[in-house]
């Protein structure tokens, strides 16, 4: 903790310490943003030399179930946040009585369980695709009869970037998929014939103030986010609905921090809520270079009790993930482009499917659909 204890005092004064559960790239970029705002960060994660630990003032390498290490961590920080939602609930049960945790257990519990998440979205007024809970093969067969095929069978916990799911196209595929996917229970979701994938990032402060970034259009490759276009090239009514949904979700969760809501856009213009991420999100990385306050600055501001910053986009942007060896092979071209900012995550090995960094390509506001954008995207081997 800071030399003079500031636990429980908000807004946090400069040089206070923010504890971050998780040492991945989101923790890294949050720690860098915190340093710019005058704070120190203490990263707690099971893996030494993780991306977040490389840029933090202090580190604890321990499991999320180590009660003694968690208690010591709580005593060394002024507030705790997390950079991914698969932190065990028991971890916050240890920390919450000792130090403020933002966002709290409610957001974590809902967003790390797809069954709770679907129920919550519907209660918050966000439409979702048909779904059924599945605890047995018999329930899966019944769910298929009710929803139809194709459908997507998913784990309710621990799935991300396409992990923990299977697309079912024929009834005979059900048994093998049910046996393979763990942990159970599972969830079967109707296959959505979407035209685009959209997301919106919202920030909510401790005072209830909410700020929402422009909705973006996302493209995936092998279930991993490949490109984000900001703003989304959709009718304004669709973009406004995405922003409104994200703000409402943040309010209903009583969130203090940043979240992203992912949507499917149907041919008739309807948005269906897909997932909630109660922390900074890959599809919000464009804000680091195209907005006054990035999603990471917003998260730190909210967690520290500061007023939220501006979310207005001063430039159009295309965010490109750098995934595996192929992504890193693009570095020479990206670094040579004066309109491109590259952000690397400090990971040593560029394994296939591993996010190594991202690049933000900036264009004048309003130019994303024009010839200048087409020339830039073609030069950088991005399909418009």
């Amino acid at each position: 903790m800071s030399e003079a204890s500031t636990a429980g005092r908000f807004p946090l004064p400069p040089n206070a310490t923010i504890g971050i559960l998780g040492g991945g790239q989101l923790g890294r970029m949050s720690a860098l943003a915190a340093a710019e705002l005058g704070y120190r960060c203490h990263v707690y994660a099971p893996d030494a030399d993780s991306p977040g630990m490389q840029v933090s003032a202090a580190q604890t390498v321990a499991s999320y179930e180590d009660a003694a290490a968690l208690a010591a961590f709580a005593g060394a920080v002024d507030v705790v946040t997390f950079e991914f939602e698969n932190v065990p609930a028991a971890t916050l049960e240890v920390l919450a009585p000792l130090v403020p945790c933002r966002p709290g257990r409610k957001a974590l519990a809902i967003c790390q369980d797809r069954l709770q998440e679907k129920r919550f979205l519907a209660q918050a007024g966000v439409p979702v695709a048909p779904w059924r809970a599945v605890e047995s093969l018999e329930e899966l067969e019944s769910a298929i009869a009710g929803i139809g095929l194709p459908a997507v069978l998913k784990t309710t916990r621990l799935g991300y970037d396409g992990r923990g799911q299977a697309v079912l196209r024929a009834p005979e595929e059900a048994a093998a998929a049910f046996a393979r996917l763990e942990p159970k229970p599972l969830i079967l979701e109707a296959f959505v014939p979407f035209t685009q994938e959209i997301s919106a990032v919202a920030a909510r402060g401790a005072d209830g103030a909410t700020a929402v970034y422009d909705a973006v259009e996302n493209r995936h490759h092998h279930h991993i986010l490949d490109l984000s276009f900001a703003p989304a090239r959709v009718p304004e009514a669709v973009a406004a609905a995405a922003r409104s949904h994200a703000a409402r979700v943040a309010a209903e969760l009583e969130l203090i921090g940043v979240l992203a809501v992912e949507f499917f856009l149907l041919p008739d213009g309807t948005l269906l809520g897909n997932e909630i991420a109660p922390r900074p999100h890959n599809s919000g990385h464009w804000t680091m270079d195209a907005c006054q306050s990035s999603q990471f600055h917003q998260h730190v501001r909210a967690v520290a009790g500061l007023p939220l910053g501006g979310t207005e986009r001063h430039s159009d942007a295309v965010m490109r993930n750098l995934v595996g060896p192929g992504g890193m092979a693009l570095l020479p071209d990206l670094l040579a482009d004066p309109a491109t900012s590259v952000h690397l995550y400090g990971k040593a090995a560029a394994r296939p499917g591993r996010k190594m960094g991202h690049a933000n390509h900036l264009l004048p506001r309003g130019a994303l659909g024009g010839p200048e954008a087409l020339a830039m995207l073609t030069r950088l081997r991005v399909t418009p």
Side-chain angles (χ1 to χ4, degrees):
M1 190 174 297
S2 309
E3 291 182 9
S5 175
T6 59
R9 287 172 45 200
F10 293 100
L12 293 180
N15 296 317
T17 300
I18 298 173
I20 301 175
L21 295 171
Q25 61 262 21
L26 299 178
R28 177 190 184 94
M29 289 180 277
S30 295
L32 291 171
E36 292 179 351
L37 290 168
Y39 296 118
R40 304 175 185 181
C41 284
H42 183 152
V43 170
Y44 185 112
D47 302 315
D49 195 38
S50 60
M53 289 185 177
Q54 294 170 4
V55 299
S56 60
Q59 308 83 26
T60 294
V61 180
S63 77
Y64 295 117
E65 293 79 17
D66 188 331
L70 289 169
F73 173 67
V77 302
D78 298 300
V79 67
V80 168
T81 189
F82 49 80
E83 63 116 30
F84 74 125
E85 60 268 34
N86 288 328
V87 174
T91 301
L92 287 193
E93 289 174 5
V94 173
L95 292 172
L98 304 175
V99 64
C101 296
R102 295 179 165 183
R105 286 176 282 186
K106 179 180 178 179
L108 183 68
I110 289 173
C111 297
Q112 68 181 194
D113 185 306
R114 284 194 171 100
L115 295 176
Q116 291 195 54
E117 185 178 61
K118 294 295 184 186
R119 296 186 185 105
F120 171 81
L121 283 170
Q123 292 168 359
V126 181
V128 296
W131 61 275
R132 299 285 191 280
V134 172
E135 297 194 29
S136 66
L137 183 57
E138 292 74 20
E139 287 187 354
L140 176 56
E141 293 169 347
S142 176
I144 290 173
I147 290 177
L149 294 178
V152 185
L153 186 64
K154 299 179 180 180
T155 59
T156 59
R157 293 175 176 267
L158 305 179
Y160 65 98
D161 287 346
R163 297 172 176 86
Q165 62 180 261
V167 177
L168 304 182
R169 302 187 185 278
E172 54 268 24
E173 297 172 354
F178 180 82
R180 176 173 62 84
L181 293 176
E182 293 289 350
K184 293 182 176 64
L186 308 177
I187 181 173
L188 186 73
E189 300 178 8
F191 193 86
V192 177
F194 61 88
T195 60
Q196 293 184 40
E197 294 182 65
I198 304 295
S199 63
V201 172
R204 183 175 180 273
D207 60 355
T210 303
V212 187
Y213 292 95
D214 283 335
V216 300
E217 168 191 348
N218 300 316
R219 293 188 192 171
H220 292 75
H221 183 66
H222 296 313
H223 301 289
I224 299 174
L225 182 62
D226 184 30
L227 298 165
S228 290
F229 295 84
R233 296 169 295 182
V234 297
E236 175 52 32
V238 172
R243 296 193 300 267
S244 177
H245 285 325
R248 188 180 311 114
V249 167
E252 293 292 329
L253 279 177
E254 300 173 356
L255 184 93
I256 300 177
V258 160
L259 63 72
V261 184
E262 299 176 352
F263 304 94
F264 295 128
L265 176 62
L266 302 187
D268 66 359
T270 299
L271 286 175
L272 295 181
N274 180 32
E275 292 184 356
I276 307 168
R279 35 80 179 170
H281 191 255
N282 199 167
S283 70
H285 289 353
W286 64 276
T287 64
M288 296 174 72
D289 296 295
C291 297
Q292 178 183 353
S293 294
S294 74
Q295 64 167 344
F296 300 102
H297 288 98
Q298 293 285 38
H299 187 68
V300 171
R301 282 171 171 267
V303 167
L306 299 176
L308 298 179
T311 57
E312 184 174 356
R313 173 179 49 81
H314 58 68
S315 302
D316 288 358
V318 178
M319 188 285 299
R320 180 168 197 162
N321 262 339
L322 305 179
V323 180
M328 295 301 284
L330 299 174
L331 271 181
D333 286 346
L334 297 173
L335 292 170
D337 190 283
T340 299
S341 297
V342 175
H343 303 268
L344 298 181
Y345 303 153
K347 298 178 181 179
R351 297 191 296 268
R354 193 181 199 194
K355 295 174 183 174
M356 302 299 296
H358 70 271
N360 288 330
H361 317 301
L362 297 188
L363 297 127
R365 186 179 170 96
L368 187 56
E372 181 180 351
L374 179 61
M376 183 201 72
L377 295 174
T378 300
R379 185 172 69 253
L380 296 172
R381 289 175 278 174
V382 173
T383 302

